[in-house]
Amino acid sequence: MKKFTIYLAGDSTVQSYKTPVKPITGWGQMLHTYFKETEQKMNQDGCDWMGYGKKSDSDFDQSIIYETDGMFIDNRAMAGRSSRSYFDEGRLDDLKKAIKSGDYLFMQFAHNDANKEKEERYVTPEQYEEYLLRYINAAKERGAQPVLVTAIAMRDCDDTPDGKFSVSFPEYRDKMLEIGDKYDIPVIDLGKATDDYLNTVGDEGSKKLFMWLEKGAYEGYPDGKQDNAHLQQAGAKAFAGLLAGLIRSYDRDDKLDKVKAELA
């Protein structure tokens, strides 16, 4: 049977990274590990990407593809991009050249969309719908299935009165859920799932998931780091696992059944 492809469009929390910037990792870099794989197919050419992957046929260098037994995952996420700037740079047009009937387009945006200080990125929740519809329609025009993914939770427990985690970018999450209902598009509520998960691991446990690094622990970060937005490999692995679990439990319709069948 011919393999289908899951394309990922998103930001730095989804992106694949090269080994020199270790340990930062996007969940899109670890997603393939939750699908059926009888062998490591990709790391045979000295590839220096964390995980097993190789350059895809995208015009953009950051795009990395992973192969499983029954499909490919083509991670075209890029740091600093919102639904607006990703589109404005021609990344959606590039993706449209590759995506085909039977494929999937998973899209996660909001971290940069909500940044009012970056005019080239910022969109209001209303504009967010307009931009996401461009992705949805692009996938549909090519015979592919669009899938909305709410943005992962940030490590915000230090900023809340009770020290608990909360859903990040709630207006954008609400708008994405609304779009799913309005246009009958599957929504994977990764934002809520990651928020719930972080509240189980707590303040200290969450530091092992995000880029909280001790001085000298990693060559690229001699002064250490305290980053509440980006994930270490353990966090990316955990969050990708949550996404896989949400796919497995999705029961609104049969639109994700083909993906479910490939889960390990």
Side-chain angles (χ1 to χ4, degrees), residues 9-10 81-83 86 107-111 113 128 132 135 151 176:
R81 273 53 178 187
S82 66
S83 60
Y86 192 101
M107 61 202 92
Q108 181 211 272
F109 293 104
H111 287 80
D113 300 66
Y128 186 60
L132 288 181
Y135 295 78
M176 188 172 271

Side-chain angles (χ1 to χ4, degrees), residues 51-264:
Y52 290 84
K54 67 178 183 181
K55 181 73 176 64
S56 78
D57 60 1
S58 168
D59 291 339
F60 294 90
D61 289 340
Q62 201 64 36
S63 303
I64 300 300
I65 191 167
Y66 306 87
E67 185 177 4
T68 73
D69 283 357
M71 66 182 202
F72 297 93
I73 297 175
D74 194 336
N75 189 2
R76 301 197 177 198
M78 183 63 193
R81 273 53 178 187
S82 66
S83 60
R84 174 182 178 177
S85 59
Y86 192 101
F87 174 83
D88 288 347
E89 290 179 1
R91 292 176 182 272
L92 179 58
D93 286 336
D94 178 66
L95 195 154
K96 280 174 65 177
K97 292 187 295 186
I99 197 167
K100 62 188 184 301
S101 180
D103 289 341
Y104 290 80
L105 174 57
F106 282 51
M107 61 202 92
Q108 181 211 272
F109 293 104
H111 287 80
N112 297 299
D113 300 66
N115 189 347
K116 293 182 179 180
E117 297 178 359
K118 300 283 187 178
E119 184 179 350
E120 73 280 7
R121 303 178 186 180
Y122 177 66
V123 295
T124 65
E126 291 71 28
Q127 292 171 322
Y128 186 60
E129 177 174 353
E130 295 172 11
Y131 275 100
L132 288 181
L133 281 175
R134 300 183 187 196
Y135 295 78
I136 290 168
N137 291 333
K140 287 184 172 181
E141 287 168 9
R142 301 290 292 163
Q145 175 62 57
V147 180
L148 301 169
V149 182
T150 60
I152 65 168
M154 296 179 67
R155 187 186 171 279
D156 64 351
C157 59
D158 295 334
D159 301 321
T160 57
D162 57 2
K164 298 291 185 181
F165 298 87
S166 59
V167 170
S168 298
F169 319 107
E171 290 181 298
Y172 295 84
R173 172 181 175 263
D174 290 347
K175 179 58 69 173
M176 188 172 271
L177 294 172
E178 179 185 315
I179 293 168
D181 286 336
K182 186 187 296 187
Y183 300 100
D184 195 24
I185 305 297
V187 181
I188 304 299
D189 197 359
L190 188 59
K192 181 63 165 63
T194 51
D195 170 48
D196 290 343
Y197 179 73
L198 290 173
N199 277 310
T200 67
V201 302
D203 180 356
E204 288 302 314
S206 68
K207 293 177 182 178
K208 299 176 182 178
L209 305 177
F210 287 86
M211 288 284 287
W212 274 61
L213 312 177
E214 298 290 339
K215 289 184 178 181
Y218 291 93
E219 183 177 348
Y221 305 91
D223 297 324
K225 196 172 182 67
Q226 293 184 0
D227 180 341
N228 292 323
H230 299 96
L231 302 169
Q232 298 190 49
Q233 186 169 342
K237 177 77 172 177
F239 285 12
L242 292 171
L243 177 60
L246 291 170
I247 293 171
R248 192 186 304 279
S249 62
Y250 179 83
D251 60 1
R252 176 173 172 172
D253 48 51
D254 62 359
K255 293 176 180 176
L256 297 184
D257 284 1
K258 190 165 64 171
V259 180
K260 286 185 188 182
E262 296 301 324
L263 288 166

